[in-house]
């Protein structure tokens, strides 16, 4: 049988198509309630894991200097704002440096403008560039008390070098809050089984030159933890799980547009179903199906949930 025309196209990695990447990412975040899940963790745990410790270390030592915060891959800033609000309960002055190469930065700036009357005592320093560009151009000796990196480690280059750079940028007594994909679970299990889908892709478009650093979705918390152990950097670990409802993949001839976008995100491929060979689609869908949690739905039929796990590493210097 002749291969359909659409199957002859080269699959496009999600990261090469900025608009489709953010459409799929936003769909995944909304559908799985990913941001709400992390927001809940920040609401309930951030105080004891981070704020209390930083306050004991620096609370009475800053004089009239601000607490210096660095956000990397901040996007629209929703999760960072929650962290800053928590830090603000103990530190009257905060100076936060935001690094985000994408145009999403303007949404963060707009949110800060709108909230300006509520956010007193926080100074924002914006960098519409990559972390790699920032490091190359930053003032020598600049240090931060707190660094936050939520699901951005995949774009920053070689893990050991990146973790060491973050550690060097940290004041003694400072902390890093890192959220990253857990190993061999859900999405990372899929990516590790089909590495051609997830590795060595271009980073999202930046404002300046095309990036030489490649995205590597195969980076997980295991890679970071092995660097932390190697250099005896202290850390704590928590985890969270989110679920994608992929029922229409297995029970209906036509998938919903939302399910298609979820699949694009999970497989890191633009129009996964149309652009990848039938053989790969079948293998990927088979792996997903074998790793779904099946539950009886309210209306009777089976529901298929594909769970994914993230790790929250809090690193201390
Ligand atoms: C998966 S999103 C996470 C966004 C945000 N931290 C959150 O959790 O909502 C990854 C972010 O990293 C940004 N990013 C990509 N490459 C980067 C780089 N080289 N340096 C800094 N940020 C980068 C992307 O533009 C994107 O906003």
């Amino acid at each position: 049988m002749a291969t359909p025309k659409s199957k002859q196209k080269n699959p496009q990695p999600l990261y090469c198509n900025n608009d489709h990447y953010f459409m799929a990412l936003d769909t995944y975040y909304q559908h799985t309630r990913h941001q709400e899940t992390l927001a809940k963790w920040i609401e309930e745990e951030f105080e004891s894991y981070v704020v209390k410790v930083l306050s004991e270390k620096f609370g009475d030592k800053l004089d009239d200097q601000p607490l210096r915060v660095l956000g990397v891959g901040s996007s629209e800033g929703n999760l960072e704002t929650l962290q800053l609000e928590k830090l603000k309960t103990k530190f009257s002055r905060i100076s936060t440096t935001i690094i985000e190469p994408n145009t999403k930065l303007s949404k963060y700036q707009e949110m800060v403008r709108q909230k300006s009357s509520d956010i007193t005592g926080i100074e924002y320093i914006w960098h519409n560039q990559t972390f790699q560009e920032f490091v190359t151009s930053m003032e020598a000796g600049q240090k931060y008390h707190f660094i936050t990196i939520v699901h951005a480690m995949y774009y920053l280059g070689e893990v050991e070098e990146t973790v060491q750079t973050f550690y060097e940028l940290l004041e003694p007594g400072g902390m890093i809050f890192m959220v990253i994909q857990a190993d061999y679970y859900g999405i990372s299990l899929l990516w590790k089984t089909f590495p051609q889908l997830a590795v060595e892709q271009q980073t999202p478009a930046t404002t300046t030159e095309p990036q030489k650093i490649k995205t590597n979705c195969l980076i997980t918390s295991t890679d970071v933890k092995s660097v932390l152990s190697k250099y005896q950097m202290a850390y704590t670990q928590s985890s969270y799980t989110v679920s994608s409802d992929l029922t229409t993949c297995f029970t209906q001839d036509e998938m919903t547009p939302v399910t298609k976008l979820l699949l694009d995100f999970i497989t890191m491929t633009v129009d996964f179903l149309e652009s990848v060979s039938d053989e790969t689609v079948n293998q990927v869908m088979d792996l997903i199906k074998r790793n779904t949690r099946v539950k009886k739905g309210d209306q009777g039929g089976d529901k298929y949930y594909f769970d994914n796990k993230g790790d929250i590493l809090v690193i201390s210097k």
Side-chain angles (χ1 to χ4, degrees):
M1 196 177 79
T3 313
K5 226 181 174 135
S6 61
K7 298 277 173 173
Q8 289 165 9
K9 285 193 284 183
N10 275 339
Q12 188 187 27
L14 202 53
Y15 291 104
C16 297
N17 184 328
N18 212 43
D19 290 345
H20 202 95
Y21 167 77
F22 278 105
M23 195 160 63
L25 175 70
D26 290 345
T27 302
Y28 178 78
Y29 273 180
Q30 278 164 23
H31 174 88
T32 60
R33 303 178 61 84
H34 180 274
Q35 302 302 78
E36 286 95 323
T37 307
L38 272 180
K40 187 167 181 285
W41 193 94
I42 293 168
E43 182 54 41
E44 292 170 359
E45 311 288 351
F46 192 75
E47 157 70 28
S48 60
Y49 277 87
V50 176
V51 181
K52 188 167 174 285
V53 185
L54 287 178
S55 156
E56 283 165 8
K57 291 264 167 65
F58 300 113
D60 54 359
K61 296 196 183 67
L62 294 178
D63 296 324
D64 61 345
Q65 292 300 307
L67 184 84
R68 286 186 301 279
V69 173
L70 177 68
V72 179
S74 311
S75 188
E76 298 175 24
N78 298 327
L79 294 173
E80 265 179 40
T81 302
L82 298 177
Q83 296 168 55
L84 289 168
E85 282 169 359
K86 293 278 172 204
L87 288 167
K88 196 68 191 37
T89 60
K90 291 283 192 261
F91 296 93
S92 58
R93 288 188 61 211
I94 296 178
S95 169
T96 182
T97 299
I98 312 289
I99 300 165
E100 172 51 62
N102 190 266
T103 51
K104 288 260 179 185
L105 184 72
S106 57
K107 293 208 171 176
Y108 194 168
Q109 292 170 319
E110 182 53 33
M111 193 242 295
V112 169
R113 262 194 296 277
Q114 282 181 5
K115 279 187 149 192
S116 60
S117 53
D118 312 337
I119 314 178
T120 49
I122 305 184
E123 174 200 24
Y124 288 86
I125 303 164
W126 306 104
H127 288 269
N128 194 197
Q129 60 183 171
T130 64
F131 179 64
Q132 295 86 335
E133 290 164 337
F134 171 78
V135 168
T136 315
S137 60
M138 72 183 287
E139 210 179 291
Q142 177 67 47
K143 301 244 185 240
Y144 298 88
H145 301 102
F146 178 65
I147 303 177
T148 173
I149 315 134
V150 178
H151 284 303
M153 276 301 285
Y154 327 106
Y155 319 106
L156 307 182
E158 205 269 316
V159 177
E160 180 163 340
E161 197 187 314
T162 308
V163 171
Q164 283 181 305
T165 303
F166 281 131
Y167 206 71
E168 273 164 31
L169 288 176
L170 209 56
E171 287 280 5
M175 301 183 102
I176 299 172
F177 177 79
M178 183 186 290
V179 181
I180 183 164
Q181 176 67 41
D183 213 353
Y184 281 107
Y185 195 100
I187 290 181
S188 68
L189 174 71
L190 181 87
W191 290 344
K192 289 216 160 160
T193 314
F194 301 96
Q196 72 273 24
L197 296 175
V199 81
E200 298 279 278
Q201 303 170 347
Q202 289 287 344
T203 54
T206 69
T207 47
T208 55
E209 296 171 13
Q211 290 304 290
K212 307 221 167 36
I213 303 283
K214 303 276 179 83
T215 296
N216 185 351
C217 290
L218 296 186
I219 294 172
T220 66
S221 60
T222 301
D223 303 303
V224 173
K225 284 186 286 180
S226 75
V227 178
L228 300 176
S229 302
K230 179 171 171 188
Y231 294 100
Q232 298 183 334
M233 299 170 180
Y235 70 94
T236 58
Q237 179 182 331
S238 315
S239 299
Y240 67 98
T241 306
V242 292
S243 279
S244 303
D245 178 353
L246 296 182
T247 305
T248 67
C249 292
F250 307 113
T251 56
Q252 284 169 30
D253 292 342
E254 246 331 271
M255 291 181 202
T256 62
V258 166
T259 310
K260 282 186 174 176
L261 278 172
L262 289 175
L263 274 182
D264 287 359
F265 182 75
I266 288 169
T267 60
M268 281 293 136
T269 307
V270 176
D271 296 330
F272 170 72
L273 291 172
E274 288 82 28
S275 66
V276 171
S277 71
D278 289 340
E279 192 188 358
T280 305
V281 169
N282 289 339
Q283 287 170 349
V284 166
M285 296 314 292
D286 183 55
L287 182 140
I288 291 177
K289 192 167 186 184
R290 279 188 281 113
N291 288 279
T292 49
R293 204 165 27 86
V294 185
K295 256 180 88 179
K296 272 276 165 274
D298 294 341
Q299 262 104 55
D302 285 340
K303 303 281 273 175
Y304 292 81
Y305 294 100
F306 187 60
D307 293 342
N308 193 38
K309 194 158 124 192
D311 286 333
I312 300 165
L313 304 177
V314 178
I315 303 158
S316 314
K317 185 167 180 180

